[in-house]
Amino acid sequence: GAGVSQSPRYKVAKRGQDVALRCDPISGHVSLFWYQQALGQGPEFLTYFQNEAQLDKSGLPSDRFFAERPEGSVSTLKIQRTQQEDSAVYLCASSLGSLANEKLFFGSGTQLSVL
Amino acid sequence: SQQGEEDPQALSIQEGENATMNCSYKTSINNLQWYRQNSGRGLVHLILIRSNEREKHSGRLRVTLDTSKKSSSLLITASRAADTASYFCATGGSGNTPLVFGKGTRLSVIA
């Protein structure tokens, strides 16, 4: 596709439910990133993949958060037993090269609301 | 944790005026980038300046970087209503560390 695609666009979950957020990066992009953005704040880093390898997951807030990119393309961010504090916009980004500090191309995000 | 800190938090100007936003950061960097975010959308990359560069231009955008003061500024000249958005600086550290974003400046351009 032309850009980074994320689905769903909006997700409402009851507290305790598991959710899965999907990201389709730009075709051929090596690196993929997940960021979390609270209302009125800047994006906060969650995790980073280089192809299928998860090189950095230092930003994942708890072991309820899990991300994968099994074939080095599409990525899924899973949140188990969602809590109200998980409510945020989850942004996916990809970059052409393998370094983590290059120009990023962002998707429109998934807005997660946990009730 | 966020390294970059933008100033001001919010800025309101008339169409045609120039808008200046500043970013300060704490640790050494490899590059600094500016992004724009329209309401409800993802971030769009505007410009990247490397640590050995002092100034960069792209259309109506001018970015400066002062590594001795650990600060950068983004100037938008002849602003338009369509420039209304939040602007974020992001620092790229040395080594393979991911970008760290600031809290952003909310710019409103009034027609």
Side-chain angles (χ1 to χ4, degrees), chain B residues 40-98:
Chain B
R41 309 298 296 177
L43 283 77
V44 174
H45 182 268
L46 295 175
I47 201 162
L48 181 154
I49 187 165
R50 301 199 182 278
S51 59
N52 61 353
E53 297 175 309
R54 291 296 167 257
E55 188 170 312
K56 212 161 181 182
H57 296 254
S58 176
R60 293 184 296 113
L61 306 180
R62 173 180 167 246
V63 168
T64 61
L65 178 64
D66 186 335
T67 53
S68 67
K69 295 181 179 177
K70 291 187 167 59
S71 68
S72 173
S73 68
L74 169 67
L75 168 68
I76 304 173
T77 60
S79 62
R80 304 166 182 168
D83 295 329
T84 294
S86 290
Y87 292 81
F88 297 90
C89 69
T91 51
S94 56
N96 203 21
T97 54

Side-chain angles (χ1 to χ4, degrees), chain A residues 1 3 10 21 28 32 53 56 58 61 71 77-78 81 87 95 100 103:
Chain A
Y10 302 93
L21 313 180
L32 184 146
D56 188 340
S58 61
E71 296 176 1
L77 176 67
K78 297 178 180 177
R81 306 181 302 283
S87 295
S95 66
K103 170 182 174 180

Side-chain angles (χ1 to χ4, degrees), chain A residues 10-30:
Chain A
Y10 302 93
K11 177 69 179 176
V12 178
K14 291 183 179 176
R15 192 170 51 184
Q17 274 187 328
D18 297 349
V19 298
L21 313 180
R22 177 188 168 105
C23 174
D24 277 273
I26 293 173
S27 178
H29 276 197
V30 170

